[in-house]
């Protein structure tokens, strides 16, 4: 199968075949990161611009390492040190970057739809590295790769996603992606963090952590966005963690071989207790990070076609 | 088979097996045994042939010879000009290559570009003492200064003919065929 997409904007637009191709390609790329010389010459002469309007350690570093291991030139632009502070609009910035002829632009922006606008405007391939509370497709792909690696497949698994679903682009992308791949998805969070009518995405919804994780194969904990504490969607961190923190006791409700995931950065003791986060017999948080590089290598590889 | 093609079988099952047996002995003779000797099959046809050579050599010497699998896609010289990316296979070289005598195995030696890519890939894994090349068919038309150390059969062909090595493991039968346009 050939990969025909110009851009990776969201899990909503990817077909099952395309997801499988990306995951299989990523699995082949895993090996490169274990070599002594972690570099292949495949994307020599290609350039990748990481345009980040929001803070990021993992995703930006992951894209940068992915590009470098494929021998592409990677350039990082963060909003705080760019012309954005001088008042340049996103469109003007993008047009200027286009004039320098990169091959791929990776963008993270606080506005949902920003990558989609660039994709229409520019001839370069655009990868969405997170747009507002909309989508974060590369995170969902690395999550799916990790689930597939640990569980041997995705179809038929019960996946519980717990936390601030409302503001989570990770949750949205995973719901789109995992349900396409045949997983059964269950959400849990305080009512103030559950979008209205989210059931229409074909998921079961609980306001209680325990109910959601019963017999779960995968539990995905979301980060409580501390910056939203003042929006009065939850009374206090302490109260949140009393009800929604994954710990030694409540994890027993899930299947014995449950895997625990978290997109990072984690708030220890808020949404996940430290002993669970650090217990490598169930926590796959660092496997997610490792797989993230491979997924992003796969996307850069598949998107940078030739001259035709 | 397409009707406008002339298909000729140039080697059958027994022929392939006899070639591989001879190559196995030649590899051992040239390397004076199997000390530090490893096989690396190039995906996909070369892998099956390397596995067969592994069996033969291990049986002759009564000791297992290590086998690696190499996918050369990421090292191709046409990767940035081809319109869509070819599918990627897994590379698995579960041993250190430093100071090893590596025998690369492929089914057909043609332009030599695959072998160039394979050598570049191998050198990213370590510094082998030597790299040798074993192929079932050498059909000529080299575009690079590359030659094989062990050849099953030299098959003079025109550039436009297609030479295929069909193997039980992937095609359900063992044969080497040459197809020419009528």
């Amino acid at each position: 199968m050939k990969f025909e997409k110009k851009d990776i904007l969201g899990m909503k637009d990817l077909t099952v075949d395309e997801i499988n191709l990306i995951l299989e390609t990523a699995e082949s790329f895993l090996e490169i990161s274990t070599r002594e010389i972690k570099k292949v010459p495949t994307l020599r002469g290609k350039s990748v611009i990481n345009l980040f309007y929001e803070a990021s350690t993992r995703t930006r570093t992951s894209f940068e390492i992915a590009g470098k291991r494929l021998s592409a030139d990677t350039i990082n632009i963060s909003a705080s040190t760019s012309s954005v502070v001088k008042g340049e609009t996103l469109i003007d910035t993008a047009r200027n970057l286009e004039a320098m002829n990169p091959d791929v632009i990776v963008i993270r922006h606080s506005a949902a739809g920003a990558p989609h606008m660039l994709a229409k405007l520019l001839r370069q391939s655009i990868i969405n590295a997170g747009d507002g509370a909309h989508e974060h497709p590369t995170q969902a792909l690395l999550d799916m790769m990790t689930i597939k690696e640990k569980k041997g497949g995705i179809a038929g698994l019960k996946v519980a996603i717990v936390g601030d679903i409302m503001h989570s682009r990770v949750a949205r992308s995973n719901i789109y992606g995992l349900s396409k791949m045949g997983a059964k998805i269950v959400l849990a969070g305080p009512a103030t963090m559950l979008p209205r009518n989210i059931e229409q995405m074909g998921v079961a919804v609980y306001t209680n952590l325990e109910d959601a994780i019963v017999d779960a194969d995968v539990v995905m904990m979301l980060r409580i966005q501390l910056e939203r504490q003042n929006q009065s969607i939850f009374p206090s961190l302490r109260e949140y963690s009393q009800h929604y923190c994954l710990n030694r006791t409540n994890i027993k409700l899930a299947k014995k071989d449950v895997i625990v995931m978290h997109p990072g950065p984690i708030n220890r003791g808020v949404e996940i207790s430290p002993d669970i986060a650090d217990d490598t017999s169930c926590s796959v948080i660092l496997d997610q990070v490792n797989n993230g590089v491979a997924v992003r290598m796969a996307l850069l590889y598949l998107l940078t076609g030739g001259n035709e | 088979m397409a009707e406008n093609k002339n298909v000729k079988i140039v080697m059958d099952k027994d022929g392939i097996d006899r070639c591989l047996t001879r190559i196995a002995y030649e590899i051992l003779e040239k390397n004076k045994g199997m000390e530090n000797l490893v096989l690396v099959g190039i995906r996909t046809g070369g892998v099956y042939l390397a596995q067969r050579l592994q069996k033969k050599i291990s049986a002759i010497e009564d000791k297992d010879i290590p086998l690696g699998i190499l996918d050369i896609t990421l090292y191709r010289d046409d990767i940035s000009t081809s319109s869509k990316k070819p599918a990627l296979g897994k590379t698995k070289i579960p041993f250190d290559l430093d100071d090893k005598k590596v025998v690369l195995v492929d089914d057909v030696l043609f332009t030599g570009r695959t072998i160039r890519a394979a050598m570049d890939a191998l050198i990213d894994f370590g510094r082998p003492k030597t790299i040798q090349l074993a192929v079932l068919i050498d059909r000529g038309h080299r575009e690079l200064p590359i030659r094989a150390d062990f050849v099953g059969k030299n098959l003079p062909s025109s550039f436009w003919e297609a030479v295929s090595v069909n193997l039980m493991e992937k095609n359900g039968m063992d044969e080497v065929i040459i197809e020419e346009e009528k």
Side-chain angles (χ1 to χ4, degrees):
Chain A
M1 181 200 159
K2 301 250 181 199
F3 196 77
E4 305 284 354
K5 287 239 161 29
K6 168 181 164 276
D7 313 289
I8 302 291
L9 300 176
M11 297 308 296
K12 194 181 178 182
D13 330 306
L14 290 174
T15 65
V16 170
D17 285 345
E18 285 168 338
I19 293 171
N20 278 325
L21 177 67
I22 294 169
L23 296 184
E24 278 158 27
T25 308
E27 283 156 17
S28 297
F29 274 117
L30 262 185
E31 165 266 326
I32 292 169
S33 299
T34 66
R35 296 185 192 176
E36 208 163 290
I37 299 176
K38 301 176 186 58
K39 211 178 186 64
V40 290
T42 318
L43 297 191
R44 267 186 316 158
K46 305 271 183 198
S47 33
V48 179
I49 293 183
N50 292 323
L51 181 56
F52 277 65
Y53 283 83
E54 274 188 343
S56 166
T57 320
R58 239 167 315 277
T59 308
R60 211 209 57 210
T61 313
S62 184
F63 267 110
E64 186 175 357
I65 287 184
K68 290 196 157 135
R69 289 196 179 154
L70 288 170
S71 298
D73 297 309
T74 56
I75 299 102
N76 295 318
I77 303 173
S78 55
S80 55
T81 56
S82 70
S83 291
V84 174
V85 293
K86 298 180 186 168
E88 190 173 48
T89 66
L90 172 60
I91 293 181
D92 285 330
T93 303
R95 287 256 190 252
N96 279 278
L97 294 177
E98 180 182 41
M100 297 182 213
N101 263 325
D103 299 279
V104 179
I105 297 177
V106 179
I107 179 174
R108 166 171 289 189
H109 200 284
S110 57
H116 305 68
M117 182 181 76
L118 292 196
K120 272 188 213 151
L121 217 61
L122 308 184
R123 61 178 186 277
Q124 279 82 10
S125 289
I126 308 293
I127 301 180
N128 181 359
D131 61 328
H134 181 216
E135 281 233 41
H136 190 354
T138 60
Q139 177 72 41
L141 288 164
L142 72 89
D143 288 341
M144 294 160 86
M145 178 176 176
T146 309
I147 295 173
K148 204 178 147 204
E149 177 186 83
K150 301 290 171 189
K151 296 287 174 192
I154 295 174
L157 296 181
K158 177 176 175 182
V159 182
I161 307 179
V162 182
D164 186 356
I165 310 291
M166 177 95 85
H167 299 100
S168 175
R169 52 196 177 206
V170 175
R172 225 165 307 274
S173 285
N174 265 308
I175 295 171
Y176 281 128
L178 287 169
S179 40
K180 273 180 200 175
M181 304 303 281
K184 211 177 89 193
I185 299 165
V186 175
L187 307 179
T192 48
M193 294 181 177
L194 294 168
R196 208 171 288 176
N197 299 329
I198 186 81
E199 299 85 352
Q200 289 177 354
M201 290 183 86
V203 295
V205 184
Y206 296 93
T207 50
N208 175 313
L209 168 78
E210 283 78 12
D211 292 342
I213 64 175
V214 169
D215 287 331
D217 298 282
V218 179
V219 177
M220 200 178 280
M221 302 305 293
L222 301 174
R223 180 176 71 96
I224 277 300
Q225 306 185 11
L226 299 174
E227 57 272 28
R228 299 193 192 279
Q229 218 182 338
N230 301 328
Q231 298 174 0
S232 65
I233 50 173
F234 61 103
S236 72
L237 281 181
R238 210 171 117 223
E239 181 161 348
Y240 181 85
S241 71
Q242 266 169 11
H243 292 99
Y244 295 100
C245 183
L246 187 69
N247 57 40
R248 278 272 167 245
T249 319
N250 54 30
I251 200 175
K252 292 199 177 89
L253 295 166
K255 286 216 178 113
K256 264 210 177 73
D257 59 348
V258 67
I259 57 169
V260 177
M261 311 181 77
H262 193 298
I266 61 177
N267 298 308
R268 288 175 175 268
V270 179
E271 66 263 357
I272 186 165
S273 73
D275 56 335
I276 297 283
D278 298 334
D279 178 356
T280 49
S281 69
C282 62
S283 166
V284 296
I285 297 172
L286 295 178
D287 299 273
Q288 290 173 270
V289 178
N290 181 36
N291 288 340
V293 174
V295 156
R296 289 166 182 128
M297 287 172 87
L299 291 176
L300 292 175
Y301 172 76
L302 291 169
L303 286 179
T304 48
N307 305 326
E308 280 175 59
Chain B
M1 288 294 152
E3 280 169 17
N4 57 344
K5 297 249 175 84
N6 242 343
V7 180
K8 211 170 84 192
I9 296 175
V10 289
M11 203 188 283
D12 63 5
K13 184 174 185 305
D14 292 339
I16 291 175
D17 193 60
R18 279 192 288 267
C19 274
L20 290 175
T21 305
R22 174 173 53 78
I23 289 174
Y25 279 105
E26 282 177 359
I27 289 173
L28 286 169
E29 183 189 10
K30 177 164 174 176
N31 292 285
K32 302 184 176 67
M34 57 176 274
E35 199 188 344
N36 284 329
L37 194 65
V38 299
L39 298 173
V40 173
I42 299 174
R43 265 185 191 277
T44 54
V47 174
Y48 303 122
L49 294 175
Q51 285 164 346
R52 294 187 192 187
L53 281 174
Q54 181 190 34
K55 268 194 207 124
K56 288 185 187 291
I57 292 175
S58 301
I60 298 165
E61 293 287 295
D62 204 18
K63 199 171 145 227
D64 283 344
I65 180 167
L67 170 69
I69 294 172
L70 190 63
D71 185 285
I72 58 99
T73 310
L74 297 171
Y75 291 83
R76 281 169 60 158
D77 57 9
D78 57 354
I79 198 100
S80 60
T81 48
S82 63
S83 65
K84 287 291 170 193
K85 291 298 162 66
L88 198 58
K90 287 194 180 63
T91 289
K92 223 193 272 169
I93 300 193
F95 41 79
D96 191 4
L97 281 186
D98 287 345
D99 294 320
K100 293 286 181 345
K101 298 181 211 165
V102 180
V103 180
L104 268 175
V105 183
D106 203 1
D107 48 8
V108 181
L109 177 58
F110 185 24
T111 61
R113 288 177 190 269
T114 299
I115 305 305
R116 194 282 310 162
M119 288 194 288
D120 275 357
L122 283 182
I123 283 161
D124 276 359
F125 279 90
R127 188 177 185 280
K129 187 171 169 58
T130 57
I131 300 179
Q132 300 160 33
L133 175 62
V135 296
L136 186 63
I137 301 292
D138 181 350
R139 61 170 292 193
H141 304 285
R142 217 75 77 237
E143 293 170 359
L144 296 171
I146 280 170
R147 55 154 183 80
D149 300 85
F150 311 101
V151 180
K153 183 180 174 68
N154 282 299
L155 184 64
S157 61
S158 109
F159 189 86
W160 303 109
E161 286 169 321
V163 175
S164 317
V165 174
N166 293 332
L167 296 171
M168 198 59 101
E169 294 88 333
K170 65 168 178 177
N171 312 91
M173 64 185 312
D174 278 350
E175 62 177 12
V176 179
I177 54 174
I178 183 163
E179 293 172 61
E180 55 174 336
E181 306 279 342
K182 252 184 198 170

